[in-house]
């Protein structure tokens, strides 16, 4: 396996958590390298059902070590709760869980600013998860961030907090919001500090040794390609680099050491929040996808918008990331559809166009060109052998392979770890 990277190929919620949990059985290290608790990765295994927001979804393999690398931003309250829930479920994380001191902290004012920016944009809002993600990354790149290493050094934390509150409370007051109390922040963060202290450690040398020793490292991408800050449907995106290129920045592993790049593709498409979505459906088929697929957000509970698979997007995702294989998830959700459509390309004013030709406004106006395939009547739920899939389901998968030009290595047929076909 060596170094394997898992990336969401659509607008998030493709089932990355399920695939990571399955692949982690073979891994020595599982690493989150970007994003924050805007991510919600569902794991269902012999230990229960877990919505993972920050701790890597591979924590359930007792033999592997879990790393939150420097590119991740942390809401410490959420992290501490997640650790407590894992411990309650009997998962021991002591001596095998590392938090990078370089991680930036999501501060209370970041969450307030996230809401204020969204309110100010009104109908043009991004539809964020409200977790303070954009404002925290903005402070990181404008040298106003507070890192875990600052929190570990009380004087540094107090000095930085003082400066930031002087700036942020002026902004909050100007926008009509309540000021953030320094006393309260200090009280809470000194408690957080004690709770996370045992895990704060620089895993960089461990990971480099692991690369050298050809250990299995699993890199857990969050969100999806079309939420990438540069190549997604800006401004309806998230703040981090979602693509394979984000690995060096987010964890410090050289790009050439990544041997496998698995694109996770939901067998149809969903999106939460605002922004263009060419294959979105507004009929009984979208209702059926939402109901059968239980398409409600793991993080916010919002109903996900649903539509047909868009191969134009997957082709782009594969090209820009350099996929070496695909993992198609939620195939079982398509059970019982008499006809299934795949968008094979786009047209704009009658001419063939590509995803990368334009911006979000352009993508709202492209017309999807569909190919219709016959559905299947048999249930695929829980099938573990490719040969047991109905012929129509196999043809659907072959169509995806042909359109994208990449082999499918895994097919997920249910939410549980064991409901998977390895090809
Ligand atoms: P992630 O953010 O990419 O990890 O995906 P989420 O966990 O947010 O959403 C995926 C949802 O689909 C979760 O509820 C999973 O339990 C579920 N899921 C994953 N794979 C499958 C599958 O093959 N079939 C079905 N029916 N559900 C799945
Ligand atoms: P996982 O890892 C689905 C979306 C939000 C919003 C936009 C910006 O579970 O696949 P943000 O809070 O990041 O500033 O919101 O990005 N978004 C996701 N949608 N799954 C996710 O993560 C997402 N992470 C961010 O809905 O449209
Ligand atoms: Mg999710």
């Amino acid at each position: 396996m060596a170094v394997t990277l898992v990336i969401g190929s659509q607008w998030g919620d493709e089932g990355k958590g399920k695939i990571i949990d399955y692949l982690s059985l073979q891994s020595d290290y599982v690493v989150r390298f970007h994003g924050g608790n805007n991510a919600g990765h569902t794991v269902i295994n012999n230990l229960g059902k877990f919505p993972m927001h920050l701790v890597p979804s591979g924590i359930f393999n007792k033999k592997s070590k879990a790393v939150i690398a420097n590119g991740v931003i942390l809401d410490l309250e959420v992290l501490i709760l997640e650790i407590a829930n894992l411990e309650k479920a009997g998962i021991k994380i002591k001596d095998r869980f590392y938090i990078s001191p370089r991680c930036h902290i999501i501060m209370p004012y970041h969450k307030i600013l996230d809401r204020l920016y969204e309110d100010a944009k009104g109908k043009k809002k991004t539809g964020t998860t409200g977790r303070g993600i954009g404002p925290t990354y903005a402070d990181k790149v404008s040298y106003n961030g507070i890192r875990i290493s600052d929190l570990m050094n009380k004087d540094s934390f107090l000095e930085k907090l003082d400066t930031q509150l002087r700036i942020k409370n002026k902004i909050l007051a100007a926008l009509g919001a309540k000021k953030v109390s320094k006393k309260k922040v200090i009280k809470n963060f000194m408690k957080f500090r004690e709770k996370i202290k045992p895990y704060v450690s620089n895993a960089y040398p461990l990971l480099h040794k692991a690369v050298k020793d050809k250990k299995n490292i699993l890199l857990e991408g969050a969100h999806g390609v079309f939420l990438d800050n540069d190549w997604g449907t800006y401004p309806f995106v998230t703040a981090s680099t979602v693509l394979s290129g984000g690995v060096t920045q987010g964890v410090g592993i050289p790009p050439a050491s990544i041997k496998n790049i698995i694109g996770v593709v939901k067998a149809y498409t969903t999106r939460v929040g605002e922004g263009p979505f060419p294959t979105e459906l507004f009929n009984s088929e979208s209702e059926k996808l939402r109901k059968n697929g239980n398409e409600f957000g793991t993080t916010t509970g919002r109903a996900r918008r649903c539509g047909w698979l868009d191969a134009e997007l997957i082709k782009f995702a594969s090209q820009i990331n350099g996929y070496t294989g695909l993992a198609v998830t939620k195939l079982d959700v398509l059970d019982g559809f008499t006809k299934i459509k795949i968008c094979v390309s786009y047209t704009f004013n009658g001419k063939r166009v590509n995803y990368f030709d334009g911006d979000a406004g352009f993508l709202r106006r492209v017309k999807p060109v569909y190919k219709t395939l016959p559905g299947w009547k048999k249930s695929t739920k829980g099938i573990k052998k490719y040969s047991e899939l109905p012929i129509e389901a196999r043809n659907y998968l072959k169509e995806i392979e042909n359109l994208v030009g990449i082999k499918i290595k895994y097919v997920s047929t249910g939410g549980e770890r064991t409901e998977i076909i390895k090809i």
Side-chain angles (χ1 to χ4, degrees):
M1 219 167 98
V3 183
T4 299
L5 167 62
V6 171
I7 287 192
S9 308
Q10 289 142 321
W11 280 289
D13 306 326
E14 297 88 353
K16 299 176 292 294
K18 145 88 194 240
I19 299 296
I20 291 281
D21 174 57
Y22 169 75
L23 293 178
S24 75
L25 297 175
Q26 312 289 327
S27 64
D28 300 297
Y29 289 88
V30 186
V31 186
R32 269 284 306 267
F33 61 94
H34 72 104
N37 56 306
N38 46 347
H41 298 173
T42 314
V43 170
I44 310 173
N45 57 29
N46 53 327
L47 298 165
K49 180 173 178 176
F50 304 87
M52 308 299 291
H53 298 290
L54 288 166
V55 177
S57 301
I59 192 81
F60 301 94
N61 169 13
K62 281 189 213 144
K63 289 187 190 136
S64 79
K65 292 181 162 46
V67 179
I68 295 184
N70 59 284
V72 177
I73 57 172
L74 294 171
D75 184 325
L76 295 179
E77 209 171 344
V78 173
L79 177 63
I80 290 163
L81 197 69
E82 205 162 285
I83 293 172
N85 283 340
L86 289 169
E87 281 173 343
K88 224 189 286 168
I91 294 132
K92 298 208 167 51
I93 63 166
K94 201 169 167 278
D95 299 327
R96 62 182 199 93
F97 176 50
Y98 305 81
I99 302 168
S100 168
R102 285 184 167 80
C103 288
H104 281 246
I105 303 173
I106 301 177
M107 299 298 292
Y109 46 80
H110 290 132
K111 289 183 262 189
I112 304 171
L113 285 170
D114 191 352
R115 182 174 51 77
L116 290 172
Y117 291 150
E118 286 284 272
D119 289 350
K121 288 183 192 167
K123 279 194 183 148
K124 296 254 159 65
K125 70 176 188 214
T126 299
T128 70
T129 58
R131 302 302 192 252
I133 304 298
T136 306
Y137 275 114
D139 268 356
K140 172 177 174 173
V141 298
S142 63
Y143 334 125
N144 285 293
I146 302 182
R147 309 206 287 184
I148 294 292
S149 55
D150 297 315
L151 184 61
M152 292 301 119
N153 170 346
K154 194 173 170 190
D155 289 343
S156 170
F157 180 73
L158 293 181
E159 187 201 310
K160 291 198 170 155
L161 179 67
D162 189 63
T163 309
Q164 286 309 313
L165 283 184
R166 266 191 283 123
I167 304 169
K168 297 302 192 299
N169 275 337
K170 276 191 193 141
I171 299 173
L172 294 180
L175 294 172
K178 248 175 67 186
K179 289 184 182 178
V180 168
S181 148
K182 187 153 107 185
K183 225 170 115 186
K184 207 165 146 195
V185 174
I186 296 172
K187 190 170 160 236
N188 286 338
F189 276 74
M190 288 307 116
K191 276 195 241 154
F192 298 160
R193 180 177 185 250
E194 292 315 305
K195 291 243 159 98
I196 64 157
K197 215 177 189 172
Y199 312 111
V200 176
S201 169
N202 181 11
Y204 177 87
L206 279 182
L207 289 171
H208 270 263
K209 184 165 185 316
V211 171
K212 206 168 140 230
D213 296 346
K214 303 223 168 356
K215 297 271 187 208
N216 290 335
I217 301 176
L218 188 56
L219 302 166
E220 177 175 353
H223 328 306
V225 168
F226 300 93
L227 290 169
D228 179 76
N229 196 262
D230 282 87
W231 288 96
T233 51
Y234 194 89
F236 306 101
V237 292
T238 189
S240 65
T241 298
V242 171
L243 310 178
S244 51
V247 168
T248 305
Q249 172 234 334
V251 58
I253 290 182
S257 60
I258 308 172
K259 296 296 173 234
N260 310 300
I261 307 180
I262 304 292
V264 185
V265 177
K266 195 181 279 191
Y268 48 97
T269 313
T270 62
R271 172 163 208 170
V272 231
E274 308 301 319
F277 179 173
T279 61
E280 184 168 13
L281 294 166
F282 300 93
N283 55 15
S284 59
E285 286 164 326
S286 84
E287 283 303 316
K288 193 168 165 182
L289 288 172
R290 189 172 303 112
K291 189 165 165 278
N292 293 2
N294 190 24
E295 294 297 353
F296 296 90
T298 311
T299 299
T300 58
R302 290 179 291 178
R304 294 174 184 150
R305 298 155 64 192
C306 297
W308 296 120
L309 183 71
D310 186 339
E312 173 64 25
L313 295 185
I314 313 300
K315 268 187 280 182
F316 174 79
S318 175
Q319 185 177 58
I320 198 161
N321 286 300
Y323 286 165
T324 58
L326 301 179
V328 174
T329 60
K330 305 192 91 161
L331 186 72
D332 55 297
V333 175
L334 295 178
D335 292 352
F337 277 84
T338 42
K339 285 191 175 130
I340 299 170
K341 288 186 179 178
I342 305 187
C343 164
V344 295
S345 60
Y346 298 152
T347 61
F348 185 76
N349 292 336
K351 276 201 193 121
R352 174 121 184 223
V353 290
N354 301 296
Y355 165 76
F356 49 80
D357 288 331
D359 59 7
F362 162 81
L363 205 63
R364 276 188 209 284
R365 287 177 291 150
V366 299
K367 269 183 86 175
V369 178
Y370 287 108
K371 179 165 183 178
T372 304
L373 279 83
W376 51 93
K377 297 217 169 58
K378 194 183 146 188
S379 164
T380 62
K381 175 94 171 90
I383 288 185
K384 297 181 181 70
K385 279 193 189 148
Y386 186 75
S387 59
E388 286 174 10
L389 288 174
I391 181 73
E392 295 86 354
R394 278 181 272 156
N395 285 341
Y396 183 65
L397 295 171
K398 276 190 200 134
E399 190 68 40
I400 298 173
E401 280 188 336
N402 289 340
L403 286 165
V404 183
I406 296 287
K407 286 272 173 231
I408 296 172
K409 296 204 168 158
Y410 309 94
V411 180
S412 175
T413 55
E416 298 201 15
R417 180 191 276 173
T418 53
E419 295 176 311
I420 195 159
I421 300 167
K422 185 171 185 296
I423 301 174

